[in-house]
Structure formats: C-alpha cells, structure tokens
Amino acid sequence: IYRRVKEVVPGVNQVNVPAHSRMHCYVSIKKARDVEVKKAAFAALNTEPENLKLIIVVDDDIDVFNDGEVLWAVGTRFDASREGDLLVIPAWSGPGGLLPGGWTFDAAGGKAPRMIGAMVIDATKPAPPVQYPARAIVPPEAVERIDPQTLKPFRGLADLRR
C-alpha cells in the first residue's frame, strides 16, 4: 500500500493496516495540497479493494502505528460537517467476499451477496499556506506530578505517565 500511495502522493510518511482491524488503513502524509488526501486514500483503497473499508489520512506529525494518536487527529482535525472531510463511497466492493458486511442474511439462515461501501476520513490540517494552531502538549513535568493511584478509576489514563 505504501508504494502505491507513494506513486501518487510523494509526501507519504507512513502507512499502517492494524493487525487488530485489517479493514482499516491509516496513512500519514506531508500534505502540500488538499487534494492529496483523496489521492492517497484512493490509492490505498485500490490496492486492497476487497479488504479495506476505512481509510484515515493524517498529517506526518501523527504516528499511524499508535491508534491513540490517529484517533486524536480524528477528534481534533476532522469535522464530519465540513465538505471534503468525510467521503462515503457506496457500493465500493463486493458482492460477497470474506467480510460479513458483503452479505445479507435472512432468518432462515440463508445469505445473498451484496455490495459494501467504503469511507475516507480526512483528519489532516489545511494545506499550506494556511496557519493552523500548534499541537498542545502537556509538559512532561506536569505528567510526572500525577499520582497514578488517582487515575485508577479512569482506565487507560495511567498510560499517560509512560
């Protein structure tokens, strides 16, 4: 997938298809133009059209091998109501295949093949020359002052100390 994306978007940084979700693909790019998001996403989708259902494109400051960073980018840089940030592609692949979504199941236990869609999320900052706020980072000394015992009720937050 990386090589295919690199052919159309030279600024590709990393590509990850997480082992825990083989239908997702995260792509980080150093974006020169806004159109590069769609080019990268379609290159990835065309590499594995029967498997990939979700492409999330992020900036090169995001580690695509860290789900938390990818989701942070979605939470802070993506707006589902902004034109171009969310692309839904109906009837992208199929019919049938290995994914259950490629089938319609009935009460009698039968199944019929159907087409399935795909989705692209643009979780990138606007392309230059637009100025975008710098990423806010909690100073390490502030994190070190947190008592891990106080975070126990908030599963996962204790990981901030790492």
Side-chain angles (χ1 to χ4, degrees):
I1 295 172
Y2 176 88
R3 287 191 300 267
R4 192 71 155 300
V5 174
K6 184 87 169 165
E7 290 174 4
V8 295
V9 180
V12 66
N13 184 40
Q14 298 176 315
V15 173
N16 180 28
V17 176
H20 61 274
S21 184
R22 300 279 310 149
M23 295 75 59
H24 298 174
C25 180
Y26 309 146
V27 179
S28 73
I29 63 173
K30 182 169 181 63
K31 185 168 75 170
R33 300 179 313 147
D34 288 320
V35 71
E36 290 175 331
V37 171
K38 285 189 177 98
K39 288 182 176 186
F42 276 105
L45 280 169
N46 279 311
T47 304
E48 292 194 32
E50 298 303 319
N51 293 324
L52 297 177
K53 293 174 65 175
L54 171 65
I55 309 295
I56 300 176
V57 182
V58 297
D59 293 294
D60 63 343
D61 65 332
I62 302 298
D63 178 2
V64 297
F65 296 94
N66 180 324
D67 285 348
E69 285 198 29
V70 172
L71 294 176
W72 177 87
V74 171
T76 60
R77 299 177 181 175
F78 164 74
D79 179 356
S81 66
R82 185 171 42 224
E83 186 175 342
D85 273 15
L86 177 63
L87 178 62
V88 176
I89 309 159
W92 172 254
S93 66
L98 296 175
L99 300 176
W103 300 90
T104 300
F105 298 91
D106 61 39
K111 66 180 187 177
R114 64 184 282 284
M115 297 294 288
I116 57 175
M119 182 169 57
V120 175
I121 292 177
D122 178 352
T124 63
K125 300 177 281 189
V130 174
Q131 298 295 314
Y132 199 78
R135 185 173 178 176
I137 298 177
V138 177
E141 58 275 7
V143 174
E144 288 304 316
R145 288 194 310 262
I146 298 171
D147 177 7
Q149 295 300 318
T150 63
L151 297 177
K152 275 191 174 178
F154 309 100
R155 286 178 38 177
L157 289 183
D159 295 337
L160 288 175
R161 293 183 55 102
R162 289 188 210 162

